[in-house]
Amino acid sequence: MCQLHMPQCVMIVLTLCAFVAAIWPAPLEYQHGSKVLWLSPDVHIAYRAQKAQSEWFTEKLRQYLTKVTPPTNSSSYTSILSSEDIMNAAIDRMKNNIFTSTFVPWKFNPRNVDFEPAVNDARHFINYICIEEDMNEGLYHNMNVSNESYSLRIDTNGTVFINSIGPIGGVRALDTLAQLFYKHSIPSAGAYTPFAPVTIRDSPAFGHRGLNLDISRNYISPRDVMRTLDAMSFNKLNRLHLHASDAQSWPLEIPALPELAQKGAYYKGLTWSVADLKEVQIYGAYRGVEVFLEIDLPGHTASVSYAYPDLVTAFNEQTWQTYSAEPPSGQLKLNSSAVSTFIDSLLSDLLPRIAPYTTYFHSGGDEINVNTYLIDPTVRSNSSDIIKPLLQSFYDHVHALTRSNNLTPIVWEETLLDWNLTFPSDVIIQTWRSPAALAQVISQGHKALFGDYEHWYLDCGYGAWLDPLPNNKSTQVVPPYLDYCNPLKSWREIYAYEPLDGIPDNQKHLIVGGEVHMWGETNDGVSLDFKLWPRAAAAAEVMWSGPKGPAGVNESVTRRLADMRERLVEKGIAAGVVQMAWCLQNLGGCIL
């Protein structure tokens, strides 16, 4: 049994620290020294899942989580994979991160200075890593209780203690541990940490810390997504929202409706099979990242028409801007029994397959265009008085199927704020159009996700994807050919985002968390890494450590994020540069 007792010492709270060495996202509490300890591949690692308190803890955690998050699906991935499965995989990844690393931190030290520890017989090694799951009152006092909470201690005698509430907390702790180590420039020397002793207590500020990734407008392969999951887990993001279909293509294979992907995908082979989706969800589960799907309904469904043209109205109209936000136009008919049968077939196939690995299903609801229903033979009106009750019936149907699979519904904000649809309290509203939308949603008592386009759209600022129509003097596609949501959001802008600004304290509990977004008009698997990272990492710290606003943007943050970027590159992630090497080598040299 691991004996873990927190030392009687003064903890350093992050907001008071001038520099927090190495770790991203920043822990809740962190204290470190300056003694060097080395780590050998043959270090003894012991893992113990505490069972004596398991029933007590499960009930306490359930009572807590149901106050701030949707009820957990009883068949979620933690019941599919055992604690031992998850932790053994996490231990292997931790060892791989440390012992295959070539990250020598020369960028973070002055030029021509010998910053590395001596390699001699006097080296002190870590000899024991103890990992234990336990609900210890002393460890978690005054912490936001979460199954991702953990504590980590490295003693100068060479012992590492990790304590977590559950296996996902252990995953987070081992990722933190890996970030404390560097490779020595002498290849045979191995890995070392210069920070012993270390004491960390950590827990996330938000329970839902996500990335919304569009895999439909341009094809993103399962392998690209799994590479993204590696980076997400290392940055302590825990939700991957796959925007799995849109007007332009339907890449997701549905065995009950085989022609959807056969005809709706861009090209043969550019699809996700049943096995692909399951593999990606399990891959995420091992890393503490829940992968859930969005099938955007009833708008953004023109791709359905390639297989089932009778289900879609206003398909590919040449004056597409009258009928949709972008081409091709087309929405599901709103008062059609054939559409209801289609939805039954679609969701009865899909939802039981994804339910073992997620608690959510996102049913879309954004940018519903009323003009399409003027030419919908089942509606023939663009009046909200006619359309609203049809939309209400549509979502009641979709959400009944969602709940029958023990999944929590998520919808975009327009369904509530524009259409004033009535939703039970379990439905999560995802906001995106403005910071004010978040306040409006929670003022109505609904749970909400933040991440508006003014701050957290990673695809913005790369320019217009439309071309000007020849001889159209009124075209809006003009130099400098900006997109609607320009400018590009730098990592500093993303880090400075304050989603809680102006939110009353008595409503903050309704904010489940947030998502940073990567839409796919100008993105594919080749450009994915560069456009996501390190900016998604900046969002990850906002959601894990809590928003700091513009006052939180400083040199120490830049240096920590630059350290994370180097570690992502080590993992095969083509992340963009955070800072010029000269600035990193010359502390204080690039501030103004």
Side-chain angles (χ1 to χ4, degrees):
M1 179 177 178
C2 305
Q3 297 298 318
L4 178 57
H5 303 286
M6 300 298 288
Q8 297 299 310
C9 61
V10 177
M11 305 298 292
I12 298 178
V13 179
L14 286 178
T15 54
L16 303 179
C17 292
F19 175 61
V20 181
I23 302 173
W24 189 280
L28 180 68
E29 297 175 352
Y30 178 28
Q31 183 182 47
H32 72 87
S34 57
K35 179 177 179 179
V36 173
L37 289 177
W38 297 78
L39 189 65
S40 170
D42 60 2
V43 63
H44 180 68
I45 302 176
Y47 165 63
R48 176 184 174 86
Q50 184 88 349
K51 300 188 184 300
Q53 301 181 34
S54 61
E55 292 184 4
W56 171 86
F57 168 71
T58 299
E59 177 60 20
K60 291 292 185 183
L61 186 62
R62 185 196 63 78
Q63 292 173 3
Y64 174 80
L65 291 178
T66 52
K67 296 177 183 177
V68 294
T69 60
T72 301
N73 178 8
S74 61
S75 60
S76 64
Y77 62 73
T78 50
S79 64
I80 298 297
L81 306 175
S82 70
S83 295
E84 289 77 10
D85 291 335
I86 293 171
M87 285 305 303
N88 287 334
I91 289 167
D92 288 342
R93 289 196 305 277
M94 179 271 294
K95 293 168 71 174
N96 184 70
N97 286 334
I98 293 175
F99 298 122
T100 65
S101 172
T102 58
F103 178 26
V104 177
W106 60 267
K107 285 185 181 180
F108 301 87
N109 292 278
R111 196 179 317 200
N112 301 320
V113 170
D114 186 9
F115 60 87
E116 294 184 296
V119 180
N120 53 41
D121 293 339
R123 289 190 293 170
H124 295 279
F125 281 82
I126 291 172
N127 51 62
Y128 184 54
I129 300 175
C130 175
I131 307 165
E132 185 170 44
E133 293 175 22
D134 186 16
M135 181 58 175
N136 184 301
E137 293 285 351
L139 292 177
Y140 300 104
H141 180 63
N142 290 331
M143 287 177 64
N144 177 24
V145 178
S146 162
N147 67 348
E148 298 178 279
S149 301
Y150 70 90
S151 64
L152 186 156
R153 196 181 85 217
I154 302 176
D155 291 342
T156 55
N157 66 2
T159 303
V160 176
F161 292 107
I162 290 172
N163 185 285
S164 67
I165 290 177
I168 305 305
V171 171
R172 305 294 179 237
L174 289 170
D175 282 338
T176 297
L177 180 64
Q179 290 184 46
L180 294 169
F181 286 85
Y182 298 97
K183 174 72 174 179
H184 200 282
S185 61
I186 298 175
S188 61
Y192 69 93
T193 178
F195 301 123
V198 172
T199 305
I200 292 172
R201 295 199 314 160
D202 206 4
S203 189
F206 296 100
H208 185 120
R209 305 180 310 282
L211 164 66
N212 170 26
L213 179 61
D214 181 355
I215 63 171
S216 57
R217 286 185 174 92
N218 277 304
Y219 180 70
I220 305 285
S221 74
R223 292 297 167 193
D224 293 329
V225 171
M226 286 190 280
R227 186 176 69 253
T228 301
L229 285 166
D230 285 331
M232 289 180 65
S233 178
F234 206 53
N235 281 274
K236 297 183 173 64
L237 291 167
N238 69 345
R239 300 286 189 273
L240 177 58
H241 164 184
L242 290 180
H243 184 81
S245 66
D246 214 289
Q248 294 78 17
S249 85
W250 188 290
L252 199 64
E253 293 183 9
I254 306 295
L257 301 164
E259 291 188 339
L260 261 181
Q262 289 172 7
K263 295 181 177 181
Y266 277 124
Y267 189 67
K268 58 185 178 183
L270 299 185
T271 58
W272 279 53
S273 69
V274 170
D276 289 335
L277 179 57
K278 181 176 180 180
E279 181 182 15
V280 166
Q281 286 193 289
I282 292 176
Y283 194 88
Y286 271 110
R287 288 154 180 78
V289 183
E290 184 175 327
V291 180
F292 69 96
L293 297 186
E294 177 190 354
I295 303 296
D296 205 347
L297 301 166
H300 292 268
T301 48
S303 59
V304 173
S305 190
Y306 293 107
Y308 304 101
D310 292 340
L311 303 181
V312 175
T313 187
F315 173 65
N316 200 21
E317 294 288 337
Q318 291 309 297
T319 55
W320 59 264
Q321 60 271 33
T322 302
Y323 298 100
S324 62
E326 58 185 49
S329 62
Q331 293 178 179
L332 290 176
K333 294 176 180 177
L334 202 53
N335 194 22
S336 165
S337 60
V339 169
S340 296
T341 300
F342 168 79
I343 293 295
D344 286 339
S345 297
L346 170 64
L347 299 186
S348 296
D349 180 309
L350 179 62
L351 298 186
R353 291 193 281 111
I354 66 173
Y357 312 103
T358 181
T359 57
Y360 302 117
F361 176 67
H362 198 310
S363 51
D366 62 319
E367 298 177 329
I368 297 170
N369 188 295
V370 298
N371 292 327
T372 63
Y373 297 122
L374 273 174
I375 55 177
D376 178 353
T378 72
V379 180
R380 296 198 182 280
S381 174
N382 64 356
S383 168
S384 59
D385 291 338
I386 301 296
I387 295 171
K388 178 184 173 181
L390 295 174
L391 280 175
Q392 184 71 63
S393 177
F394 181 88
Y395 279 106
D396 288 346
H397 181 204
V398 170
H399 290 171
L401 290 168
T402 302
R403 293 186 187 92
S404 71
N405 285 277
N406 296 316
L407 296 171
T408 296
I410 304 177
V411 291
W412 292 107
E413 65 176 68
E414 291 98 315
T415 56
L416 179 71
L417 301 182
D418 294 359
W419 290 100
N420 196 29
L421 299 185
T422 300
F423 295 123
S425 60
D426 65 325
V427 177
I428 298 173
I429 311 298
Q430 183 159 24
T431 62
W432 69 275
R433 292 182 297 182
S434 71
L438 180 67
Q440 291 174 328
V441 168
I442 63 173
S443 70
Q444 297 185 39
H446 287 282
K447 299 184 180 77
L449 295 171
F450 57 76
D452 63 80
Y453 81 88
E454 296 177 5
H455 297 90
W456 274 16
Y457 269 32
L458 301 181
D459 55 299
C460 293
Y462 287 96
W465 49 268
L466 290 166
D467 288 314
L469 179 68
N471 302 318
N472 180 8
K473 294 182 179 180
S474 62
T475 181
Q476 298 178 35
V477 186
V478 295
Y481 304 108
L482 300 174
D483 52 38
Y484 83 96
C485 54
N486 72 91
L488 185 141
K489 281 61 177 169
S490 72
W491 74 258
R492 289 181 176 86
E493 172 66 12
I494 289 166
Y495 193 85
Y497 177 40
E498 295 183 278
L500 302 184
D501 192 27
I503 301 296
D505 288 342
N506 65 350
Q507 294 178 359
K508 288 179 180 178
H509 68 282
L510 292 169
I511 300 176
V512 177
E515 292 183 0
V516 64
H517 304 266
M518 176 56 77
W519 297 107
E521 287 89 345
T522 59
N523 182 56
D524 63 11
V526 176
S527 61
L528 180 63
D529 290 3
F530 175 80
K531 288 187 174 181
L532 279 181
W533 311 103
R535 294 184 298 153
E541 177 152 306
V542 172
M543 291 185 281
W544 179 274
S545 307
K548 305 295 188 297
V553 177
N554 55 54
E555 187 179 24
S556 70
V557 171
T558 299
R559 293 175 66 83
R560 285 193 301 108
L561 184 57
D563 183 294
M564 169 53 76
R565 185 264 177 177
E566 298 301 311
R567 296 180 188 275
L568 290 176
V569 171
E570 279 279 305
K571 297 168 76 67
I573 309 296
V577 172
V578 172
Q579 180 61 289
M580 183 166 52
W582 189 92
C583 299
L584 297 174
Q585 287 190 323
N586 292 270
L587 187 64
C590 293
I591 57 178
L592 182 64

